[in-house]
């Protein structure tokens, strides 16, 4: 008589594999929202840095910052600037308020956090992060020189 055994996995072995996959999936799902939020905040901050570069380019040519949307779009067409100056920031758009040698730019991240950057020709660049999302001319909070916190 011939002994023929078919090879395969037992039910216990399959259950262990499913359990390991479930644990790995749970770990991945727990870290995904925090990673997504950080990425959305960094994207908003990058938009502000690019908008500030556009404003500084205008300042270099005219010795004053601009509040004219068409001038900003001509310098940096990849960014979406608000239709009018000094509006509360929205997600995906850069709000702006300029007065002579000072400009304040703002945007809202997809997480709901607002980021502001203010540049004064005589004293440099300062940063603010808050959730009030006020107009760029009057944000709530104190600007710092070290970056967004």
């Amino acid at each position: 008589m011939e002994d023929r055994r078919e090879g395969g996995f037992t039910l216990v072995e399959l259950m262990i594999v499913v359990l390991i996959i479930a644990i790995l999936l749970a770990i991945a799902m727990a870290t995904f929202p925090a990673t997504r939020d950080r990425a959305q905040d960094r994207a908003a901050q990058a938009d502000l840095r690019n908008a500030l570069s556009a404003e500084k380019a205008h300042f270099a040519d005219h010795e004053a910052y601009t509040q004219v949307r068409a001038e900003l779009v001509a310098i940096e067409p990849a960014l979406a600037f608000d239709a009018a100056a000094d509006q509360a920031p929205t997600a995906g758009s850069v709000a702006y308020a300029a007065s002579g040698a000072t400009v304040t730019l703002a945007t809202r991240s997809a997480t709901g956090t607002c980021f502001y950057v203010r540049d004064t020709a005589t004293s440099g660049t300062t940063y603010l992060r808050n959730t009030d999302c006020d107009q760029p001319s009057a944000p709530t909070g104190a600007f710092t020189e070290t970056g967004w916190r």
Side-chain angles (χ1 to χ4, degrees), residues 5 20 37 40 49 72 74 79 81-83 89 93 97 101 119 133:
R5 298 186 87 180
I20 290 170
D37 289 350
Q40 290 170 338
R49 285 187 190 99
L72 292 170
L79 290 177
F81 291 95
D82 286 351
S93 181
D119 190 74
C133 296

Side-chain angles (χ1 to χ4, degrees), residues 39-63:
Q40 290 170 338
D41 285 351
R42 295 296 183 248
Q45 292 169 3
D47 286 347
L48 283 184
R49 285 187 190 99
N50 291 335
L52 182 60
S53 294
E55 283 282 9
K56 286 185 174 190
H58 184 276
F59 188 87
D61 291 340
H62 303 282
E63 296 185 14

Side-chain angles (χ1 to χ4, degrees), residues 93-149:
S93 181
V94 176
Y96 51 93
S99 175
T102 301
V103 64
T104 304
L105 303 166
T107 192
R108 180 190 303 248
S109 169
T111 64
T113 303
C114 285
F115 296 93
Y116 298 83
V117 60
R118 178 176 288 158
D119 190 74
T120 303
T122 57
S123 62
T125 305
T126 55
Y127 306 87
L128 172 65
R129 164 192 205 136
N130 71 26
T131 54
D132 293 335
C133 296
D134 299 314
Q135 297 168 252
S137 63
T140 304
F143 282 80
T144 65
E145 295 177 3
T146 56
W148 291 289
R149 297 202 182 256

